[in-house]
Amino acid sequence: MKKLHLLLAIWLLIFYAAGSLFSAPNDEIEKKIQTLLSQMTLKEKVGQMTQITLEVVSLKRPDGSFVNSLDENKLRQAIVEYGIGSIINTGGAANTARNWLEMITIMQKMATQETRLGIPILYGIDAIHGSNYIKEATLFPQSIAMAATFNRQLSRREGEITALETRAVGIPWNFNPVLGLGRNPLWPRFWETYGEDVFLTAEMGKAYILGLQGEDGDISRADRVAACMKHYAGYSFPLSGHDRTPAWIPERLMREMFLTPFKSAVDAGVYTVMINSGEVNGVPAHSSAFLLTRVLREEWGFKGLAVSDWEDVKRLHDRDHVAASPEEAVKMAVMAGLDMSMVPFDFSFAEYLYQLVKKGEVPETRIDDAVANILRVKFQAGLFENPFPDPQRLQLIGKPEFAQVSLSAAREAITLLKNENNILPLQKDVKILVTGPTANSRAYLNGGWTYTWQGDDERYYPAHYKTILQAITEKAGQRNVVYVQGADIETQKDMGEAVQKARDVDVIVACLGEATYCETPGNINDLHLPAVQRELIHQLARTGKPIVLVLVEGRPRVINDIVPKTKGILMAYLPGPYGSEAIAEALFGEVNPSGKLPFTYPKHVNDLVCYDHTYLKEFDVNRYDPQWPFGYGLSYSEFEYRNLKLSQSRIKKGEALQISVEVENRGERAGKESVLLYVSDLYRSVTPPVKQLKGFQKIMLQPGEKRVVTFTLTADDLAFVGRDNQWIVEPGVFKVRIGDQTAQFELVE
């Protein structure tokens, strides 16, 4: 065993020493950085480390407008006087592509022509589900829905389209993907994650990053942007479930679970990182040298740019109370390893940092390191060669084929959770009551980060985006569809009329879920779906008419009292602007649902247990009893698994295990199936999970078609963090599970 541990330790040292492929220093760029640094004054350096929001340099925009106007005097103060390195945000709402191009052009002209050294601005934006702050751009399902597709290719394609459209207006930096694990469904940013599983999150995040940055990492191209992995690390698992509240994560768990997707992103070449806006174990992440320097820089070899989240350096003083003054907060963050502060409303960070260096409290060598990281991204993005957007590329934004990719993603995300007596698919000639608060809203299909921060202003949504009601009506015809809202998200509305109309139809399609929210405004204290929505179902059920639920929600809301009242349930997540069409297609059988839950759907509000729990959860009276487990999803087809085979029954370190299984479509419809590979370590020195996802593939099968799906496992896939907080691999017996098939193999020294 000692020999195996030593070999793994040597391998890890080599891997860490190698660092990121794309963020590794380029000799030519490094020479340019050092030349530029040698010419910069201290004031110019601390200016580069300062990031402000667009509102600081804008005029007040008319309410509902898609056009933002710059205040050139304020802009000149920021760029010329303070020499700020970065600007972010939208000015309150989405802007037209032409408006973006004009603003970016003005900024870059000022930065390159009116400053002493001509250093361009690094503009950053939250393009969370497509370029959601460009009026004409393509929007996608939110990340939680993308995860439900279990399709890496779709995630990568989303990244490619997002990069192309974002860069077309001159923005080279995207604050995405979110690589926190969605393991507490109370958390309001749950839908920004790829779900609860480490492997799924790492794989979908890596695919998205490669889409943004390209396989070769050349972000100087006109269709590429720098990705930003966030929020590093532990932000997604607050104990209370409320946004920006404390997390308590032991180091072993932090390393094995919450850091792993970020390490995968570094290995994939991610250029930038945004820091966790909360605290872990009483230490605000922006002050954590352990996270920002020891792990990120020294262990992983990350050479990119580390940026703060919104106002979080200031908050070390006024919120977290770990810094006795605003100046001390700046010192604490910079010395921990922060490169750039999202201040974002003033220039105080630069002013404090300047004085700290002058007083000898922050060494200028630390400033030089930070500025080098910033300049490196600017050089890699090609901003010194050409910081200006090309007007000809605006015509590439919002192309019809991009919308088809978004629709495909929504189709593959839709997850069939219940289909009693094959109530679905519906016939188009049946009489349907469409009801519920999410049935006739465009905003609810998209959620936050859609045209505005909260995504709740329907004035910004294009009229050609269909609601669920409109999409169903197009399929079934106006004469077959009756609509009564029945309830708002939190209040009753026309419930009596909905019940009355239900008596005259064949089936009820009830669209329930959540209003839009983003970050702290989405905090809730009760995971139940609001009572009025559940009461609508109870009232409708008394009519005896079959009910099909469509759930439009960014996190799983508890519905255990109404599940028995329904015949069919579709989970739509936040499927984006074309989600209504995908929902209607699934209801009427034009699309065969293939999504699978990327999280455990809880049955009870006080039983929030993830699928990869340890054996103690199922010991004695304890039970893992969710409404639906991770990886669950039905189909209109029947897929049969058989002939699970392992290439060998024993492997050693350095050897690969080939795993194959045959999958057959036994149904009468063509369908897609996500084949999920789970591995269980039967015994080890730290209590093992009952199972862990170690592979997945999405396949398409025609009726009667068979396919052999293969996976490869190595000993490295069996590693875990031991009692000493170090990665190890222990010999032992492991169980492989795919569908209902199981097999065992042994790892030997």
Side-chain angles (χ1 to χ4, degrees), residues 416-489:
L416 180 60
L417 297 177
K418 184 177 182 179
N419 196 17
E420 186 176 317
N421 299 324
N422 293 319
I423 182 70
L424 295 174
L426 302 174
Q427 298 299 311
K428 292 181 181 178
D429 59 355
V430 298
K431 190 84 168 179
I432 303 169
L433 170 66
V434 178
T435 187
T438 63
N440 201 29
S441 168
R442 296 177 179 87
Y444 294 169
L445 289 165
N446 288 274
W449 297 120
T450 311
Y451 303 117
T452 63
W453 176 42
Q454 293 296 306
D456 57 354
D457 194 335
E458 293 253 358
R459 292 175 302 171
Y460 290 98
Y461 286 78
H464 68 269
Y465 290 166
K466 299 181 182 70
T467 67
I468 300 173
L469 172 63
Q470 290 171 329
I472 290 175
T473 302
E474 282 192 7
K475 299 291 182 188
Q478 187 70 52
R479 65 186 182 87
N480 288 326
V481 177
V482 178
Y483 170 66
V484 182
Q485 184 173 331
D488 275 326
I489 296 295

Side-chain angles (χ1 to χ4, degrees), residues 34 47 67 72 92 96 108 159 209 242 261 294 300 371 419 439 508 527 531 553 557 586 607 612 650-651 656 739:
Q34 293 307 314
V67 177
E72 292 201 30
T96 67
Q108 297 294 22
I209 289 167
H242 289 177
R294 178 178 161 186
W300 295 354
V371 176
N419 196 17
I508 300 164
L527 198 57
E553 54 189 15
R557 303 299 293 266
D607 193 17
D612 52 355
R650 306 176 81 195
I651 65 169

Side-chain angles (χ1 to χ4, degrees), residues 66 94-97 100 131-137 451 460 462 465:
F66 281 101
N95 302 301
T96 67
W100 272 119
S131 298
N132 41 260
Y133 284 133
I134 301 174
K135 178 180 181 288
E136 302 87 349
Y451 303 117
Y460 290 98
Y465 290 166

Side-chain angles (χ1 to χ4, degrees), residues 334-353:
V334 171
M335 293 307 294
L338 184 74
D339 298 322
M340 180 181 285
S341 174
M342 190 185 292
V343 189
F345 291 111
D346 57 45
F347 309 103
S348 58
F349 175 84
E351 293 167 344
Y352 286 132
L353 189 53

Side-chain angles (χ1 to χ4, degrees), residues 89-165:
N89 221 350
T90 74
N95 302 301
T96 67
R98 176 65 60 178
N99 181 222
W100 272 119
L101 181 142
E102 291 170 350
M103 288 193 296
I104 298 297
T105 300
I106 290 170
M107 292 175 192
Q108 297 294 22
K109 278 186 178 179
M110 191 174 290
T112 58
Q113 298 175 14
E114 296 187 32
T115 64
R116 190 175 70 90
L117 296 175
I119 301 174
I121 293 293
L122 180 62
Y123 206 101
I125 202 74
D126 290 283
I128 303 302
H129 64 126
S131 298
N132 41 260
Y133 284 133
I134 301 174
K135 178 180 181 288
E136 302 87 349
T138 309
L139 302 188
F140 288 85
Q142 297 283 5
S143 291
I144 197 67
M146 295 300 295
T149 71
F150 280 80
N151 189 328
R152 297 173 180 85
Q153 288 71 35
L154 281 172
S155 185
R156 180 162 179 166
R157 190 71 182 118
E158 178 195 3
E160 290 171 345
I161 293 168
T162 300
L164 184 151
E165 295 188 335

Side-chain angles (χ1 to χ4, degrees), residues 577-713:
Y578 308 104
S580 57
E581 297 172 52
I583 290 166
E585 290 171 342
L587 287 171
F588 293 109
E590 294 177 12
V591 165
N592 192 346
S594 65
K596 292 186 183 291
L597 287 174
F599 51 78
T600 299
Y601 201 117
K603 185 183 291 184
H604 307 286
V605 295
N606 292 330
D607 193 17
L608 307 180
V609 180
C610 294
Y611 88 96
D612 52 355
H613 56 276
T614 62
Y615 291 91
L616 187 60
K617 176 57 188 172
E618 299 187 59
F619 178 72
D620 196 12
V621 298
N622 300 328
R623 292 289 180 270
Y624 174 60
D625 184 31
Q627 194 74 61
W628 297 284
F630 172 90
Y632 183 82
L634 303 174
S635 170
Y636 297 150
S637 298
E638 178 186 352
F639 296 98
E640 182 175 303
Y641 291 77
R642 53 178 174 262
N643 298 327
L644 177 63
K645 296 179 181 179
L646 308 183
S647 60
Q648 49 194 326
S649 60
R650 306 176 81 195
I651 65 169
K652 296 179 180 179
K653 171 68 178 177
E655 294 181 340
L657 178 69
Q658 303 299 322
I659 302 167
S660 65
V661 68
E662 184 179 278
V663 186
E664 181 180 1
N665 183 352
R666 298 289 299 274
E668 298 178 353
R669 294 171 178 265
K672 294 181 179 181
E673 172 73 345
S674 292
V675 182
L676 310 183
L677 166 67
Y678 295 101
V679 175
S680 301
D681 190 343
L682 299 189
Y683 297 93
R684 70 184 197 190
S685 58
V686 173
T687 307
V690 295
K691 63 179 181 179
Q692 289 179 296
L693 186 71
K694 294 295 182 179
F696 61 89
Q697 292 185 42
K698 191 79 171 269
I699 61 172
M700 175 73 178
L701 293 176
Q702 298 298 320
E705 184 181 1
K706 303 175 186 177
R707 184 177 302 179
V708 174
V709 179
T710 60
F711 298 92
T712 301
L713 279 182

